Amino acid sequence: MKLFGKAKPAAAVGSGGPNSAQDALQALNHQEQLLVKRTEFLELKVKAEIQEAVKFKKAKNNKRAIACLKRKKMIEAQMDNVDNMLQNIVTQKNALENAAFNKEHVGAQRVAMNALKQMNKEITPEKVDELNDEMQELMDDMNQVTSALAHQLDSGVNLDEDELEAELEALEQDQLDEEWTGNLETEAPAMSFPEAPEEKPTLIPAAAAAMTEEEREFAELEAWGAN
């Protein structure tokens, strides 16, 4: 908070002004270096006051020794303040680094969001439906072309399917007639009869039919013996 005068308007973060994150980090780093040097200087003064207090103590000059110790206490109080400021700078640097990281992250998300918005403008449900309709129309045209190419061309001759079927039946009948006629003209194979035996069969007189089986066997033996 400014006690006197008006505060200067802060520059926008990331605008490159004196209050940008990068400039702020540089300023804090510079201030940190100054405070570190301040701490080293105060440490030297503390050591000097201690040496003076010891010297005056040996000289039995307690008043001067006590004065040195008082100044040492004041210097140590300053050192505590410097340590607190250093701690604050570390806290501020961490906060700035986190803020810078968050800014980069948010920036990346914003870029992605803008890209998605642009893509959504280029690809909308209406445009997708329109594309599908165009594709379907092209497919229908291709199917019509294919059907047209597959259609049988007219030869210019009047072809009646009934007449063609009647002609086909007549051709089949002619083929059957030719096969039947060819079978009749083919010569029939000569029939073969068995040749008559050269020897005349021995005739048994009619009276032999009345013989008994035993008498017939004797008669056959006599005839066989006569030959």
Side-chain angles (χ1 to χ4, degrees):
M1 183 178 64
K2 290 283 185 178
L3 297 177
F4 303 98
K6 295 182 179 179
K8 295 181 180 180
V13 176
S15 63
N19 291 332
S20 65
Q22 187 65 28
D23 293 339
L25 285 173
Q26 291 178 358
L28 288 174
N29 288 331
H30 178 68
Q31 188 64 24
E32 184 180 13
Q33 293 176 0
L34 293 177
L35 291 174
V36 170
K37 291 180 180 179
R38 178 67 176 172
T39 300
E40 294 174 352
F41 174 73
L42 293 176
E43 288 177 350
L44 293 176
K45 290 185 67 174
V46 168
K47 290 180 180 179
E49 293 296 336
I50 292 174
Q51 291 175 358
E52 288 293 325
V54 171
K55 184 177 65 173
F56 288 124
K57 179 63 174 174
K58 290 180 179 180
K60 305 298 183 180
N61 192 347
N62 292 335
K63 183 177 181 181
R64 297 287 298 272
I66 291 174
C68 291
L69 293 177
K70 287 181 178 180
R71 287 193 298 269
K72 182 181 76 72
K73 292 292 185 181
M74 294 174 60
I75 295 171
E76 290 176 345
Q78 293 180 23
M79 292 178 62
D80 291 339
N81 293 333
V82 172
D83 289 339
N84 292 334
M85 287 187 285
L86 283 172
Q87 184 61 40
N88 291 336
I89 287 177
V90 172
T91 302
Q92 292 175 0
K93 286 175 62 177
N94 291 334
L96 282 172
E97 290 173 355
N98 290 333
F101 176 79
N102 293 335
K103 178 185 175 183
E104 293 294 331
H105 183 69
V106 172
Q109 287 186 333
R110 184 176 290 107
V111 171
M113 180 186 66
N114 293 333
L116 287 174
K117 285 183 178 179
Q118 185 64 29
M119 293 175 66
N120 287 333
K121 289 180 181 179
E122 297 175 358
I123 305 175
T124 61
E126 292 78 10
K127 291 183 178 180
V128 173
D129 293 337
E130 183 179 355
L131 179 62
N132 289 334
D133 293 338
E134 292 179 358
M135 289 295 296
Q136 186 62 47
E137 184 176 355
L138 290 174
M139 293 299 296
D140 293 340
D141 293 340
M142 291 181 63
N143 291 333
Q144 291 179 3
V145 171
T146 303
S147 299
L149 292 174
H151 182 69
Q152 185 177 4
L153 299 177
D154 189 3
S155 62
V157 180
N158 186 13
L159 300 177
D160 188 356
E161 292 186 0
D162 294 337
E163 293 181 358
L164 294 175
E165 291 181 359
E167 184 177 355
L168 180 62
E169 291 179 358
L171 291 174
E172 291 178 352
Q173 186 62 40
D174 292 341
Q175 183 69 24
L176 292 175
D177 293 342
E178 290 179 359
E179 293 178 357
W180 178 257
T181 303
N183 291 334
L184 292 178
E185 292 177 355
T186 303
E187 294 181 356
M191 297 181 65
S192 60
F193 296 96
E195 297 181 357
E198 294 180 356
E199 297 181 356
K200 295 182 179 180
T202 303
L203 297 178
I204 302 174
M211 296 180 181
T212 63
E213 184 178 357
E214 183 177 357
E215 291 174 349
R216 187 169 51 253
E217 291 178 357
F218 282 115
E220 292 178 356
L221 290 174
E222 290 178 356
W224 180 77
N227 293 330

